[in-house]
Amino acid sequence: DLDGSHLVFMHSLPQLCKMANLRILVGVKRVIDYAVKIRVKPDSSGVVTDGVKHSMNPFCEIAMEEAVRLKEKKLAKEIIAVSCGPTQAQETIRTALAMGADRGVHVEVTGKEYENMTPLHVSKILAKLATDQEANLIILGKQSIDGDNNQTGQMTAALLDWPQATFASELTKENDHLKVVREIDGGLETIKVTLPAVITADLRLNEPRYATLPNIMKAKKKKIAKHKAADFGVDLASTVKVVSVEDPPVRQAGQKVESTEELVAKLKESGVI
């Protein structure tokens, strides 16, 4: 005895099941903590990282939070946290597991290879991993606060030939697609993307949760698979060479003037006008 409401339910069930079967891949990068004052190495080859506090990239935290919220809404079945880097990157993965990821993947990259690693290398690894893990949604931070490249999400989507929605400030599910509000120079843009897709998280997408002590303890028991870049057929040889890293110039102190005439005189004196 089917009435209208039952018919609607049966019609929407395949779409609901499709969305509930999401396997989400989330990139979590280990970076120097945002509160740390950056120091350039004496030889100008890079920045000092030894003995410096590191944490998860803030935009990666937002990406992870959004994935967890999708799972809490019964729209995803599994969240996989991925990080490329030295052994310490496992700490970042553990943080993601404590936030709500189900398992982790650590692609170990050390020494000069890690220093020379580019967004294209990471994109190739993520694309291969997404295929191997049968993921149908990748959520990344829009950029990392160390390199500020803002390239990995876009290149990953290109390598996979998936739709992309970058700079996301709002993400909602509508039937068999995702509606994404993007932050652009002129304001906000709303787009719809079909799955599989790549999303990059902007600052206002959400406010990440703090991991609770019980979840931190549970995270210690969750699995982290270990790989090398070569396992995904990725050659880490770099085509980019850093010539020099320097501190920004020290800003000079301002001057107060008493009149417009004095201001004009000062500007002429300094050669501005």
Side-chain angles (χ1 to χ4, degrees), residues 11 80 86 102 134 138 140 191 247:
H11 175 73
I80 307 169
D102 297 290
E134 298 182 344
I138 299 175
L140 307 173
I191 64 173
D247 283 311

Side-chain angles (χ1 to χ4, degrees), residues 19-20 58 73 132 134 148 152 187 229 248 257 271:
M19 294 296 295
K73 294 174 184 175
D132 292 348
E134 298 182 344
D148 274 340
T152 305
V257 295

Side-chain angles (χ1 to χ4, degrees), residues 146-163:
D146 51 3
D148 274 340
N149 291 300
N150 177 27
Q151 296 174 348
T152 305
Q154 292 89 329
M155 290 194 291
T156 303
L159 290 168
L160 288 166
D161 196 24
W162 287 5

Side-chain angles (χ1 to χ4, degrees), residues 114-129:
Y114 182 61
E115 291 179 12
N116 297 330
M117 198 172 193
T118 66
L120 181 58
H121 293 134
V122 178
S123 298
K124 289 179 178 179
I125 291 171
L126 289 174
K128 186 65 168 64
L129 195 56

Side-chain angles (χ1 to χ4, degrees), residues 21-253:
N21 285 332
L22 286 179
R23 177 173 285 118
I24 307 175
L25 203 65
V26 182
V28 291
K29 186 177 182 182
R30 177 180 182 264
V31 299
I32 295 176
D33 190 84
Y34 71 93
V36 171
K37 181 175 174 57
I38 303 297
R39 293 180 293 122
V40 175
K41 291 180 179 178
D43 62 359
S44 298
S45 62
V47 299
V48 177
T49 57
D50 293 339
V52 175
K53 180 183 178 183
H54 285 67
S55 58
M56 187 188 300
N57 177 49
F59 290 107
C60 295
E61 287 185 334
I62 295 170
M64 178 54 64
E65 174 66 26
E66 196 63 23
V68 174
R69 292 187 184 191
L70 288 172
K71 189 176 181 184
E72 288 174 342
K73 294 174 184 175
K74 310 299 183 185
L75 299 177
K77 63 179 180 180
E78 187 178 35
I79 302 170
I80 307 169
V82 186
S83 190
C84 303
T87 304
Q88 296 92 320
Q90 291 186 34
E91 300 169 9
T92 305
I93 297 174
R94 290 290 176 198
T95 300
L97 296 173
M99 288 178 69
D102 297 290
R103 56 190 174 95
V105 176
H106 176 215
V107 182
E108 188 174 18
V109 185
T110 59
K112 282 293 182 183
E113 283 190 334
Y114 182 61
E115 291 179 12
N116 297 330
M117 198 172 193
T118 66
L120 181 58
H121 293 134
V122 178
S123 298
K124 289 179 178 179
I125 291 171
L126 289 174
K128 186 65 168 64
L129 195 56
T131 302
D132 292 348
Q133 298 290 332
E134 298 182 344
N136 42 18
L137 180 61
I138 299 175
I139 307 180
L140 307 173
K142 70 171 184 177
Q143 64 193 70
S144 61
I145 62 171
D146 51 3
D148 274 340
N149 291 300
N150 177 27
Q151 296 174 348
T152 305
Q154 292 89 329
M155 290 194 291
T156 303
L159 290 168
L160 288 166
D161 196 24
W162 287 5
Q164 60 178 287
T166 55
F167 315 121
S169 62
E170 185 179 332
L171 176 65
T172 53
K173 166 263 193 183
E174 287 190 355
N175 298 323
D176 59 347
H177 59 263
L178 299 173
K179 184 175 82 170
V180 181
V181 178
R182 303 179 61 239
E183 298 196 5
I184 59 175
D185 290 342
L188 299 175
E189 177 185 59
T190 301
I191 64 173
K192 292 180 179 179
V193 292
T194 55
L195 296 168
V198 177
I199 309 291
T200 70
D202 212 326
L203 185 64
R204 280 159 286 277
L205 180 58
N206 60 54
E207 185 174 339
R209 70 193 66 192
Y210 289 102
T212 62
L213 182 58
N215 286 337
I216 291 173
M217 299 306 293
K218 289 177 183 177
K220 293 180 179 180
K221 299 180 180 179
K222 293 182 180 179
K223 294 181 179 180
I224 299 179
K226 299 177 184 178
H227 294 279
K228 299 285 187 181
D231 297 342
F232 304 103
V234 177
D235 181 4
L236 294 178
S238 179
T239 56
V240 178
K241 181 180 179 181
V242 177
V243 177
S244 178
V245 176
E246 300 175 5
D247 283 311
V250 179
R251 185 175 179 178
Q252 295 182 349

